[in-house]
Amino acid sequence: MYVVKSPLPEPDLKTVSGALQGALVDLVDLALVGKQIHWNIVGPRFRSVHLQLDEVVDTARTHSDTVAERAAALGVPPDGRASTVASDSGIDAVAAGWIRDTDAVGVLVDALGAVITRMRERVRATADADPVSQDLLIGITADLEKHHWMFQAEHA
Amino acid sequence: MYVVKSPLPEPDLKTVSGALQGALVDLVDLALVGKQIHWNIVGPRFRSVHLQLDEVVDTARTHSDTVAERAAALGVPPDGRASTVASDSGIDAVAAGWIRDTDAVGVLVDALGAVITRMRERVRATADADPVSQDLLIGITADLEKHHWMFQAEHA
Amino acid sequence: MYVVKSPLPEPDLKTVSGALQGALVDLVDLALVGKQIHWNIVGPRFRSVHLQLDEVVDTARTHSDTVAERAAALGVPPDGRASTVASDSGIDAVAAGWIRDTDAVGVLVDALGAVITRMRERVRATADADPVSQDLLIGITADLEKHHWMFQAEHA
Amino acid sequence: MYVVKSPLPEPDLKTVSGALQGALVDLVDLALVGKQIHWNIVGPRFRSVHLQLDEVVDTARTHSDTVAERAAALGVPPDGRASTVASDSGIDAVAAGWIRDTDAVGVLVDALGAVITRMRERVRATADADPVSQDLLIGITADLEKHHWMFQAEHA
Amino acid sequence: MYVVKSPLPEPDLKTVSGALQGALVDLVDLALVGKQIHWNIVGPRFRSVHLQLDEVVDTARTHSDTVAERAAALGVPPDGRASTVASDSGIDAVAAGWIRDTDAVGVLVDALGAVITRMRERVRATADADPVSQDLLIGITADLEKHHWMFQAEHA
Amino acid sequence: MYVVKSPLPEPDLKTVSGALQGALVDLVDLALVGKQIHWNIVGPRFRSVHLQLDEVVDTARTHSDTVAERAAALGVPPDGRASTVASDSGIDAVAAGWIRDTDAVGVLVDALGAVITRMRERVRATADADPVSQDLLIGITADLEKHHWMFQAEHA
Amino acid sequence: MYVVKSPLPEPDLKTVSGALQGALVDLVDLALVGKQIHWNIVGPRFRSVHLQLDEVVDTARTHSDTVAERAAALGVPPDGRASTVASDSGIDAVAAGWIRDTDAVGVLVDALGAVITRMRERVRATADADPVSQDLLIGITADLEKHHWMFQAEHA
Amino acid sequence: MYVVKSPLPEPDLKTVSGALQGALVDLVDLALVGKQIHWNIVGPRFRSVHLQLDEVVDTARTHSDTVAERAAALGVPPDGRASTVASDSGIDAVAAGWIRDTDAVGVLVDALGAVITRMRERVRATADADPVSQDLLIGITADLEKHHWMFQAEHA
Amino acid sequence: MYVVKSPLPEPDLKTVSGALQGALVDLVDLALVGKQIHWNIVGPRFRSVHLQLDEVVDTARTHSDTVAERAAALGVPPDGRASTVASDSGIDAVAAGWIRDTDAVGVLVDALGAVITRMRERVRATADADPVSQDLLIGITADLEKHHWMFQAEHA
Amino acid sequence: MYVVKSPLPEPDLKTVSGALQGALVDLVDLALVGKQIHWNIVGPRFRSVHLQLDEVVDTARTHSDTVAERAAALGVPPDGRASTVASDSGIDAVAAGWIRDTDAVGVLVDALGAVITRMRERVRATADADPVSQDLLIGITADLEKHHWMFQAEHA
Amino acid sequence: MYVVKSPLPEPDLKTVSGALQGALVDLVDLALVGKQIHWNIVGPRFRSVHLQLDEVVDTARTHSDTVAERAAALGVPPDGRASTVASDSGIDAVAAGWIRDTDAVGVLVDALGAVITRMRERVRATADADPVSQDLLIGITADLEKHHWMFQAEHA
Amino acid sequence: MYVVKSPLPEPDLKTVSGALQGALVDLVDLALVGKQIHWNIVGPRFRSVHLQLDEVVDTARTHSDTVAERAAALGVPPDGRASTVASDSGIDAVAAGWIRDTDAVGVLVDALGAVITRMRERVRATADADPVSQDLLIGITADLEKHHWMFQAEHA
């Protein structure tokens, strides 16, 4: 059953769908990691980082929806199931249990950094194949880099 | 590091934290499954079910936050990481790729049914140990059973 | 055609569905009575009671929807038709025509009192059979008793 | 007790008050029937019709309030009690229990058709007696005919 | 300077512009009288009537704007100056100073009654000359008669 | 396929459907002309007229929807396609390219005047055939005449 | 009947109540004059000045309410009746009929100037007698002077 | 620990901080008294006064926050603890238990009168020492005197 | 004067009214303590804790209203006067003057802990006597325990 | 009259203005076609597609405004008149009269497909000539492709 | 060109215009300094101070507009150009580049302190010359002193 | 102290940071110039241009924040201080004092033209170095060119 006709020729489609599927997995995991730390953080900066993490989660959820619907719009069924996210995410595993605020900020600096590196590769890879998808990925990168700056500034 | 003092004695705490952790995993997976089908559904009832699934996702996200914060409030760090969800969820694995609307409704009937069965066990299990947590689980069960009815009514 | 599978065993279901159907009829009639007096009240306290009655109507309409959808979620088709309400309501018949403000307040004190007595019986009856339905009925009773207090305070 | 002075002479008042009282009963029953089917409908179009019915209920409730308060403003106490609605409504009795979506749409086509026929007679009857009341009835008829079109279009 | 071309022939225009100018003066005065009593009322029903009067003022201000702009749209400059209102209003002069709540309600019953009588004459007068203006006057009359009912109901 | 049953007898229906179809075409074209000038106007009054034109467009779009759905509700399929609008509109063709503000105001005075003349004929034509449709056309005419006044006042 | 006890001694009260009554009359008339010109203005600046005048009317209506309720709070019944406004206002009489935009702006410059001069006298007069009332009058003067600047700037 | 540097010299600071601390205690108690009567009032005017009291409570809560933060801004730690309020408030003790509506209005007339008298002394005392604080106290007095008028008008 | 008839028998009523009166006093004091520290806190975490305290105050104020009106609905007049709160509260006295942020967080941990302990006793005490009141107290306890977790997490 | 100076050199301007004018015509026609089918659709999926079409119309109207104002900003007067749309649109002519829901979905699949193909050509054509305009066209294409996906998914 | 007539005599005008122009320059610079530090702050308190600074910027922008328009209303053209701000501001120059959070708080304590000192002089200077302008400056000083307290409290 | 790690290599970073810093200075100055003329404009088009200028100021303020935070996200501290703006802005100095409306429009045409020319150079310069930053600059250019068109259209 191949229901949605793609506006892209086959080789371009392969490139773009790979980029979108990768972005989807990273963003879903970023939302899960963000919530995990939102719930487990402790320390004097608890409230401030607790609130800030929900903004990361909002960004990640909104963009994962955009990216998945973009894939579907190109005729490629997106895969955001828990097992796929658990195996393919570019974010390092987070330890279970309470986490101190200073460590929590460090985890986010690393997680965002890892996702941004991969996103910039996706921006380059999709430039010729589909400027529409590239434009979405550029916007996502800008948002992630802004969050990254803020967590780095707090980590100074 | 055992930072949040629990208002419950040890044996009760063990019961309640098991119930909350189980509920958290089911609800996070329900949100992921809901989105997965939201993106991959096809067929004449696409739009109607596509919108309905976002309401399930909203319910699941809101309640997973409530449940996780309740566990934290009882001094138990919640675990909502992708790998935990992938291994512990009570919802059967969903196949990748496009899914017809009729099948999509059936998947939700089953997924909600499975979660509700486990939730009712948790309601019973927590009655003596912590009526506050039980009250949350009762409210969640009521919402899930309402969604369940609607998908069953559509599946008739 | 028995379309919605009930999560309750048969004897419990009979108890709970009786309670919910009874509550539905009382709440629909309370909304009709509230509007009837909203339109027919006269006297110096006209405006104050006229406005207060719309709050009772809002409460009754919202809860009648909750109760009916709860019955459906348990696999029991609810019945809120005019003839059923006319024959089964627990509220005494209201006379037609203009009604003085003092009498209007008295009618509401009686109507709310009658419904509350029956609701408290339903709370008791459903405790073991279905704590989820009981929880809804408890919330409804709390709202009705608040309205009852206000009309009694005005009737002092 | 004849408290509100009518701006209309006696024969005109009789015509107009009959039309308004009839409209009130039809509209209250339309709201009850709309809710009854909103709760009992089953089948693949469940959600779509379930939502659409609440829009009919909103229309009916808003206009029943307008019509009743118009009667009061003309010095005639309106009667919207359950027993009056059960005996005087122009809508055929609806069967109890679950109802398939196709049948549900048919019930609404018939119910709206019956009310519209009576409303158009009331528009004619009140033209000379009270153009103010006629104007309200014209607006109500326009809304009901729009709902009627939609259910007919769905029934095609 | 005759800047706005009227869509009406001369004799019709004379009839309609007289009706609109009369309605404008009555409505502006109704707003002034409503505020005057809003500020000067005393007695146990102070708060209830004080609030109710602001709803009359809102109705009067909104409709005076509609009526004046309708006159302008027909090419007739409206006149809502204080001296014109003071000399041409159909509402009896109100005494200066504090006014008891019971008397205040009576003043409104009379003022609204006087304006409604004149409005109904204007509805009759404009039926053939301009159905568009008549439609506005019908809507205004309906609103005024609803306020009139409420003050009469309170005066019972 | 004659799916929607008309509440009107055949000769009345013909009169009314002609009036509604004509109104639809005029209103769709008024929206297109309003936008055309909104984009092409130049001169010192640019901003003021640019904004004012969007209010005309809003009025025209809202009423074209009302009129088309009214036709459908009477069982007559409406026609608002570009080619139909281009051939049947009552508004004179507008020249392409930039247009000075003074000329722009004049174009609107003429366009609104032409549509109003035809609308008033439709109001007369539908009085006996269908007071419900007439009521809609009266409301539309009132709005258009208000816009007409404003552009005439600016053109003085 | 001297119902509201004044917090001010007699001589101070006389000064303050004179100032407030004068301000009330000026502000009510400013609202009436603003509306009069809002309806009768013609010329290329129609729309811009038409909208600006409604902001003056809003200011005048809001402040007239504040001033009247302040008088009542001091135990002095305010007088805002049409005849009082017509005889006591500090604004020169406005001619009836259409008014060109340039003249309209001039009328407002004069009207606001006249009211401001009187307000500044009231600010001075109430400084010792009642700083609370003076504070209200200062705020009103600031708002009026801002409107005055804008009309002067447009009149340049 | 004297952390916040005051912009005022010592003697002025002493005057102003006394006025602000006194105002804080009076306003916190006014909110507590307002709620106490809001809950305990009975009689035909129950609903009207019940609602009116919540407006007094809102005013008192908002202004107590402003006054306390103003004290802090001047370098003086405010004291709004229950024991301080119980011992220093200017409002007479209120009896426990149900209170009739007429008596309730009288209690508020007295309570507001007592607070206003003290506020006017504070306005005088702070005029030279700190016009910024005085300005806040003037605004508070105006709001309290408006409430006072309303309760007096109701007590007439 | 025993105006409101209780739906509970005498011994149950005594139990429940004691629980509600105790909860009322604790919640009113929690709001006062929260504000006291909101105003007096100093240190690097000032802003974060200052904002967090207003959320505690909102919770305490909302629930104190619910609890007091529940008591009234059961026929028992609630007592929330300053002197009652000062003598009966379960929260330890707070010192006057500036308080460092670290100490402020500790005060809240203790205050919330003390209230929660007493609330859990009230939940137990009311289980049989009145499940409706118990349900309210359970909801309040859940909210307080969530705040408690957050302050404990910050105090780690 | 060449009033707006273009920031682009002549050959680039020609390329870009052609692309924008083409996009404008397609988008205006898409809005007209969307409304045409919104009004004429019949069949069981009536309501679902009826609502979905209004979202297409919103997208098309918003983007047609953006595109036309972009052309004007580049110094090129846009042309969105009915006759231009009728002759230049890239969407196939739609038949008049009622249309079944299945066919309606197919018409939208085709119409969106045709516009998307042309938009992608415009994206390519404007890449070098004006990246600012290209960026707008990319965003429009993304939105249209999302709608296209949804209608294709429904057509499976 | 001296277009706006001043309500003040010449010597008073000179005093007041000097105060307003000085306030304008200080407030524009406060907004620029607030943004500069909002962007360049680093350290663990980054987010909390980053957000707090935007509240200072909002205050400064709102009041700079008020002050400038007040000057214009008095007939004096305000000067808020970059070069004027750079030369006349009362705030010490801020160093370029990243700034640690502790230093950032110190910069704001000093900047607000400097502006407040000058504002208090302006309040004194304008007392006799123009109480209307003085009232604005008092309100501005109150807001600035509240921000000052908060930064001092955080600096403790 | 080099706290934020840049995702860009050194030569690219130099190019991009130069473009962003230049854009920041131009946008801050555009906001200051926009306000300066907003306050000093006189003439018949005062109100229209006065309002339009606030839209330019909003655009400039929003984009200056985006640009500065983008620089920070790339590890480069932005500089938006008054002295930097005064010396580096690309907008010509504006004369102090009142300015006629025609001249005001001309100043904005020139200011926007100067900033747009520089922005287009920055778009070109950043294409290879950082497509994320380029995308922001493209969006800013589109908004500025739309404002430029409007002021040119008004200047025709």
Side-chain angles (χ1 to χ4, degrees), chain I residues 46-96:
Chain I
F46 165 81
R47 182 178 149 87
S48 181
V49 182
H50 179 77
L51 294 174
Q52 188 175 359
L53 283 161
D54 259 357
E55 297 175 12
V56 174
V57 172
D58 278 355
T59 296
R61 285 180 176 168
T62 301
H63 285 316
S64 65
D65 212 56
T66 305
V67 157
E69 301 202 337
R70 178 73 197 152
L74 292 176
V76 182
D79 183 351
R81 298 170 299 165
S83 56
T84 308
V85 174
S87 64
D88 296 1
S89 165
I91 304 176
D92 284 350
V94 178

Coordinates of all heavy atoms in Angstrom, one line a residue, chain I residues 46-96:
Chain I
F46 N 16.1 35.2 45.0 CA 15.0 36.0 45.3 C 13.8 35.9 44.3 O 12.7 35.5 44.7 CB 15.4 37.5 45.3 CG 14.2 38.5 45.3 CD1 13.5 38.8 46.4 CD2 13.8 39.0 44.1 CE1 12.4 39.7 46.4 CE2 12.7 39.9 44.0 CZ 12.1 40.2 45.1
R47 N 14.1 36.1 43.0 CA 13.0 36.2 42.1 C 12.3 34.8 41.9 O 11.1 34.8 41.8 CB 13.6 36.6 40.7 CG 12.6 36.7 39.6 CD 13.2 37.2 38.3 NE 12.5 36.7 37.2 CZ 11.5 37.3 36.6 NH1 11.0 38.4 37.1 NH2 10.9 36.7 35.6
S48 N 13.1 33.8 41.9 CA 12.5 32.5 41.6 C 11.6 32.1 42.8 O 10.5 31.6 42.5 CB 13.7 31.4 41.5 OG 13.2 30.2 41.2
V49 N 12.0 32.3 44.0 CA 11.2 31.9 45.2 C 10.0 32.9 45.4 O 8.9 32.5 45.7 CB 12.1 31.8 46.5 CG1 11.2 31.3 47.6 CG2 13.2 30.8 46.3
H50 N 10.3 34.1 45.1 CA 9.3 35.2 45.2 C 8.1 34.8 44.3 O 6.9 34.9 44.7 CB 9.9 36.5 44.7 CG 9.0 37.7 44.7 ND1 8.7 38.4 45.8 CD2 8.5 38.4 43.6 CE1 7.9 39.5 45.4 NE2 7.8 39.4 44.1
L51 N 8.4 34.3 43.1 CA 7.3 34.0 42.2 C 6.6 32.7 42.6 O 5.4 32.5 42.6 CB 7.8 33.8 40.7 CG 8.3 35.0 40.1 CD1 9.0 34.7 38.7 CD2 7.2 36.0 39.8
Q52 N 7.4 31.7 43.0 CA 6.9 30.4 43.5 C 5.9 30.6 44.7 O 4.9 29.9 44.7 CB 8.1 29.5 43.9 CG 7.7 28.1 44.2 CD 9.0 27.3 44.4 OE1 10.1 27.8 44.4 NE2 8.8 26.0 44.7
L53 N 6.2 31.5 45.5 CA 5.4 31.7 46.7 C 4.0 32.2 46.3 O 3.0 31.8 47.0 CB 6.1 32.7 47.7 CG 7.2 32.1 48.5 CD1 8.1 33.1 49.1 CD2 6.6 31.2 49.6
D54 N 3.9 33.0 45.3 CA 2.6 33.4 44.9 C 1.7 32.3 44.4 O 0.5 32.3 44.5 CB 2.7 34.5 43.8 CG 2.5 35.9 44.4 OD1 2.2 36.0 45.6 OD2 2.6 36.9 43.7
E55 N 2.4 31.2 43.9 CA 1.6 30.0 43.5 C 1.1 29.3 44.7 O 0.0 28.8 44.7 CB 2.4 29.1 42.6 CG 2.8 29.8 41.3 CD 3.8 28.9 40.5 OE1 4.0 27.7 40.8 OE2 4.4 29.5 39.5
V56 N 1.9 29.3 45.8 CA 1.4 28.7 47.0 C 0.2 29.5 47.6 O -0.8 28.9 48.0 CB 2.5 28.6 48.1 CG1 2.0 28.1 49.4 CG2 3.6 27.7 47.6
V57 N 0.3 30.8 47.5 CA -0.7 31.7 48.0 C -2.0 31.5 47.2 O -3.1 31.4 47.8 CB -0.3 33.2 47.9 CG1 -1.5 34.1 48.3 CG2 0.8 33.4 48.9
D58 N -1.9 31.3 45.9 CA -3.1 31.1 45.0 C -3.8 29.8 45.5 O -5.0 29.7 45.6 CB -2.7 31.0 43.6 CG -2.6 32.4 42.9 OD1 -2.9 33.4 43.6 OD2 -2.2 32.5 41.8
T59 N -3.0 28.7 45.6 CA -3.5 27.4 46.0 C -4.2 27.6 47.4 O -5.4 27.1 47.5 CB -2.4 26.4 46.2 OG1 -1.8 26.2 44.9 CG2 -2.9 25.1 46.7
A60 N -3.6 28.2 48.3 CA -4.2 28.3 49.7 C -5.4 29.1 49.7 O -6.4 28.8 50.3 CB -3.1 28.9 50.6
R61 N -5.4 30.3 48.9 CA -6.7 31.1 48.9 C -7.8 30.3 48.2 O -8.9 30.4 48.7 CB -6.4 32.4 48.1 CG -5.6 33.4 48.9 CD -5.3 34.7 48.2 NE -4.7 35.7 49.0 CZ -4.1 36.8 48.5 NH1 -4.2 37.0 47.2 NH2 -3.5 37.6 49.3
T62 N -7.6 29.7 47.1 CA -8.6 29.0 46.4 C -9.2 27.9 47.3 O -10.4 27.8 47.4 CB -8.1 28.4 45.1 OG1 -7.6 29.4 44.3 CG2 -9.2 27.6 44.4
H63 N -8.3 27.1 47.9 CA -8.8 26.0 48.7 C -9.5 26.5 50.0 O -10.4 25.8 50.5 CB -7.7 25.0 49.0 CG -7.4 24.2 47.9 ND1 -8.3 23.6 47.1 CD2 -6.2 23.8 47.3 CE1 -7.7 22.9 46.1 NE2 -6.4 23.0 46.2
S64 N -9.0 27.6 50.6 CA -9.7 28.1 51.8 C -11.1 28.5 51.5 O -12.1 28.2 52.3 CB -8.9 29.3 52.4 OG -9.0 30.4 51.6
D65 N -11.4 29.0 50.3 CA -12.7 29.4 49.9 C -13.6 28.1 49.7 O -14.7 28.0 50.2 CB -12.7 30.1 48.6 CG -13.8 31.1 48.5 OD1 -14.0 32.0 49.4 OD2 -14.6 31.1 47.5
T66 N -13.0 27.1 49.1 CA -13.8 25.8 48.9 C -14.1 25.2 50.2 O -15.3 24.8 50.4 CB -12.9 24.8 48.1 OG1 -12.4 25.5 46.9 CG2 -13.6 23.6 47.8
V67 N -13.2 25.2 51.1 CA -13.4 24.5 52.4 C -14.5 25.3 53.2 O -15.4 24.7 53.9 CB -12.1 24.4 53.2 CG1 -12.3 24.3 54.7 CG2 -11.3 23.2 52.6
A68 N -14.4 26.6 53.2 CA -15.3 27.4 54.0 C -16.7 27.3 53.5 O -17.7 27.1 54.2 CB -14.9 28.9 54.0
E69 N -16.9 27.3 52.1 CA -18.2 27.2 51.5 C -18.7 25.8 51.7 O -20.0 25.6 51.8 CB -18.1 27.6 50.1 CG -17.6 29.0 49.9 CD -18.0 29.7 48.6 OE1 -18.3 29.0 47.6 OE2 -18.0 31.0 48.6
R70 N -17.8 24.8 51.8 CA -18.3 23.4 52.1 C -18.9 23.3 53.5 O -19.9 22.7 53.7 CB -17.1 22.4 51.9 CG -17.5 21.0 52.2 CD -18.3 20.3 51.2 NE -19.0 19.1 51.6 CZ -20.2 18.7 51.1 NH1 -20.8 19.3 50.2 NH2 -20.7 17.6 51.6
A71 N -18.2 24.0 54.4 CA -18.7 24.0 55.8 C -20.1 24.7 55.8 O -21.1 24.1 56.4 CB -17.8 24.8 56.7
A72 N -20.2 25.8 55.2 CA -21.5 26.5 55.1 C -22.6 25.6 54.5 O -23.7 25.5 54.9 CB -21.4 27.8 54.3
A73 N -22.2 24.9 53.4 CA -23.2 24.0 52.7 C -23.6 22.8 53.6 O -24.7 22.3 53.4 CB -22.5 23.4 51.5
L74 N -22.8 22.5 54.6 CA -23.2 21.5 55.6 C -23.9 22.1 56.8 O -24.2 21.4 57.8 CB -22.0 20.7 56.1 CG -21.3 19.8 55.0 CD1 -20.0 19.2 55.6 CD2 -22.3 18.8 54.5
G75 N -24.1 23.4 56.8 CA -24.9 24.1 57.8 C -24.1 24.6 59.0 O -24.6 24.9 60.1
V76 N -22.8 24.7 58.8 CA -21.9 25.1 59.9 C -21.2 26.4 59.5 O -20.5 26.4 58.5 CB -20.8 24.0 60.1 CG1 -19.9 24.4 61.3 CG2 -21.4 22.7 60.4
P77 N -21.4 27.5 60.2 CA -20.7 28.7 59.9 C -19.2 28.7 60.1 O -18.7 28.4 61.2 CB -21.3 29.8 60.8 CG -21.9 29.0 62.0 CD -22.2 27.6 61.4
P78 N -18.4 28.9 59.0 CA -16.9 28.8 59.1 C -16.4 30.1 59.8 O -17.0 31.1 59.8 CB -16.5 28.8 57.7 CG -17.6 29.5 56.9 CD -18.9 29.2 57.6
D79 N -15.2 29.9 60.4 CA -14.5 31.1 61.1 C -13.1 31.2 60.6 O -12.2 30.5 60.9 CB -14.5 30.7 62.6 CG -14.0 31.9 63.4 OD1 -13.4 32.8 62.8 OD2 -14.0 31.8 64.7
G80 N -12.9 32.3 59.8 CA -11.6 32.6 59.2 C -11.1 34.0 59.7 O -10.3 34.6 58.9
R81 N -11.4 34.4 60.9 CA -11.0 35.7 61.3 C -9.6 35.7 61.8 O -9.0 34.7 62.2 CB -11.9 36.2 62.5 CG -13.4 36.3 62.1 CD -14.3 36.5 63.3 NE -14.2 35.4 64.2 CZ -14.7 35.4 65.4 NH1 -15.2 36.5 65.9 NH2 -14.6 34.3 66.2
A82 N -8.9 36.9 61.8 CA -7.5 37.0 62.1 C -7.2 36.4 63.4 O -6.2 35.6 63.6 CB -7.0 38.4 62.0
S83 N -8.0 36.7 64.4 CA -7.7 36.2 65.8 C -7.8 34.7 65.9 O -7.0 34.0 66.5 CB -8.6 36.8 66.8 OG -9.9 36.6 66.5
T84 N -8.8 34.1 65.2 CA -8.9 32.6 65.1 C -7.7 32.0 64.4 O -7.1 31.0 64.9 CB -10.2 32.2 64.4 OG1 -11.3 33.0 65.0 CG2 -10.5 30.8 64.5
V85 N -7.3 32.6 63.3 CA -6.1 32.1 62.6 C -4.9 32.2 63.5 O -4.1 31.2 63.6 CB -5.9 32.8 61.3 CG1 -4.7 32.4 60.6 CG2 -7.1 32.6 60.4
A86 N -4.7 33.3 64.2 CA -3.5 33.5 65.0 C -3.4 32.5 66.1 O -2.3 32.0 66.5 CB -3.5 34.9 65.5
S87 N -4.6 32.1 66.7 CA -4.5 31.2 67.8 C -4.6 29.7 67.4 O -4.0 28.8 68.1 CB -5.7 31.5 68.7 OG -6.9 31.2 68.1
D88 N -5.2 29.3 66.3 CA -5.5 27.9 66.0 C -4.6 27.3 64.9 O -4.7 26.1 64.6 CB -7.0 27.7 65.6 CG -7.9 28.0 66.7 OD1 -7.4 28.4 67.8 OD2 -9.1 27.9 66.5
S89 N -3.8 28.1 64.2 CA -3.1 27.6 63.0 C -2.1 26.5 63.4 O -1.5 26.6 64.5 CB -2.3 28.7 62.3 OG -1.4 28.2 61.4
G90 N -1.9 25.5 62.5 CA -0.9 24.5 62.8 C 0.5 24.8 62.3 O 1.4 24.0 62.4
I91 N 0.7 26.0 61.8 CA 2.0 26.5 61.3 C 2.7 27.2 62.4 O 2.1 28.1 63.0 CB 1.8 27.3 60.0 CG1 1.0 26.6 59.0 CG2 3.2 27.8 59.5 CD1 0.7 27.4 57.7
D92 N 4.0 26.9 62.5 CA 4.8 27.6 63.5 C 4.9 29.1 63.2 O 5.0 29.5 62.0 CB 6.2 27.0 63.6 CG 6.2 25.7 64.3 OD1 5.2 25.4 64.9 OD2 7.3 25.0 64.3
A93 N 5.1 29.9 64.2 CA 5.2 31.4 64.0 C 6.4 31.7 63.2 O 7.5 31.0 63.4 CB 5.3 32.1 65.4
V94 N 6.3 32.6 62.3 CA 7.4 33.0 61.4 C 8.0 34.3 62.0 O 7.3 35.2 62.5 CB 6.9 33.3 60.0 CG1 8.0 33.8 59.1 CG2 6.3 32.1 59.4
A95 N 9.4 34.4 62.0 CA 10.0 35.6 62.6 C 9.7 36.8 61.6 O 9.7 36.7 60.4 CB 11.5 35.4 62.7
A96 N 9.7 38.0 62.2 CA 9.5 39.2 61.4 C 10.8 39.6 60.7 O 11.9 39.2 61.2 CB 9.0 40.4 62.3

